[in-house]
Amino acid sequence: MRARSIAFKSPVTVMDTNTLKTQLLQQIAALDFQQAIFPSPNESINQIVQQLENISPIPQPLQSDYLPYLAGEWQLIYASRGTVVTRRVASLPNWAEVIKIDRVWQELAAEDHNKIAAVNAAIIELPWFGKWQLQANGVWFWDTPEQLAKVSFSSFSIQAKQLFGWSNWNWPQITIPVLEWLRSEAVWITSYLDQEIRVGRGATGNLFVFRRQ
């Protein structure tokens, strides 16, 4: 499905959006990646994101016409209060000397008019043990095509990517399914969306800034 062009409300909105996006990307780029995705809120970045949310060109990102804008691979470039993985890592003593997060991303694929297949993944690096990919596989689903979706994960996976420094081996992926009666639902709000940038918020207001790959 081909994405249609976004109809902005006015030239002023376009100018303001582009200016704010430039400021946002510059401020995030100035951060160390570990600082950007671990729990360390940056109020200046948070304020820019809030301004973007107020002039979002797509107020109903879950509408079927706009699902192609959501689909694809998105790199996480900022998380105001960290992620599920980084918050747990940050709780470990001397975590910076033990674990490094190389990359965090999300892959989205529209399955029908009110359902998106979602993969949340991260590459972590451990001393001596090399690089590992952690992955959560689930779906977004919703009743009204506005901003709020519910997320449920059906399985979790782990795969060695560079075990003990060996990068030429094809290591198997280990997948652990989640029994249906054990699955829980989380709230996910897409508060800003355009061709390049996406902002998501959890139930507690934690904001996540993604950039399309």
Side-chain angles (χ1 to χ4, degrees):
M1 184 186 298
R2 185 176 179 182
R4 70 182 188 182
S5 299
I6 296 177
F8 291 96
K9 295 181 179 180
S10 70
V12 175
T13 303
V14 175
M15 181 180 65
D16 290 347
T17 300
N18 290 338
T19 299
L20 288 170
K21 283 174 58 177
T22 299
Q23 294 175 357
L24 175 66
L25 294 175
Q26 287 177 343
Q27 291 201 27
I28 292 176
L31 299 176
D32 175 83
F33 181 62
Q34 308 300 306
Q35 182 182 5
I37 63 170
F38 275 80
S40 55
N42 184 303
E43 288 306 317
S44 177
I45 291 176
N46 293 350
Q47 289 175 10
I48 294 174
V49 170
Q50 290 172 8
Q51 292 178 66
L52 278 172
E53 291 172 327
N54 291 334
I55 56 174
S56 177
I58 302 179
Q60 293 185 315
L62 300 178
Q63 192 176 63
S64 58
D65 287 344
Y66 296 118
L67 293 186
Y69 283 101
L70 281 169
E73 183 175 318
W74 296 85
Q75 179 86 11
L76 178 66
I77 58 175
Y78 175 76
S80 63
R81 300 177 193 167
T83 70
V84 172
V85 173
T86 60
R87 285 193 295 271
R88 291 179 179 176
V89 170
S91 67
L92 301 174
N94 301 319
W95 64 266
E97 302 173 6
V98 179
I99 298 176
K100 178 183 177 183
I101 309 294
D102 284 358
R103 183 182 173 220
V104 181
W105 72 98
Q106 192 173 67
E107 296 179 15
L108 303 177
E111 294 192 339
D112 55 40
H113 70 282
N114 65 345
K115 187 177 181 182
I116 290 177
V119 174
N120 295 352
I123 299 289
I124 66 171
E125 186 172 351
L126 305 172
W128 304 105
F129 293 100
K131 296 184 179 182
W132 294 75
Q133 179 172 317
L134 307 179
Q135 184 171 304
N137 309 296
V139 294
W140 297 9
F141 53 95
W142 57 90
D143 295 322
T144 56
E146 296 179 356
Q147 293 184 334
L148 189 150
K150 293 182 179 179
V151 182
S152 176
F153 292 102
S154 57
S155 66
F156 296 89
S157 304
I158 184 170
Q159 183 179 24
K161 289 296 185 179
Q162 191 177 333
L163 187 60
F164 305 118
W166 299 337
S167 58
N168 296 325
W169 287 66
N170 186 19
W171 303 98
Q173 183 181 72
I174 300 173
T175 300
I176 304 171
V178 179
L179 297 176
E180 189 169 354
W181 61 277
L182 288 176
R183 296 175 193 174
S184 59
E185 296 178 357
V187 170
W188 180 260
I189 298 170
T190 301
S191 55
Y192 180 88
L193 175 67
D194 64 24
Q195 298 97 325
E196 181 186 16
I197 299 294
R198 177 166 61 90
V199 176
R201 286 185 179 270
T204 60
N206 185 13
L207 67 86
F208 303 83
V209 179
F210 295 86
R211 189 170 190 178
R212 187 183 295 280
Q213 294 300 291

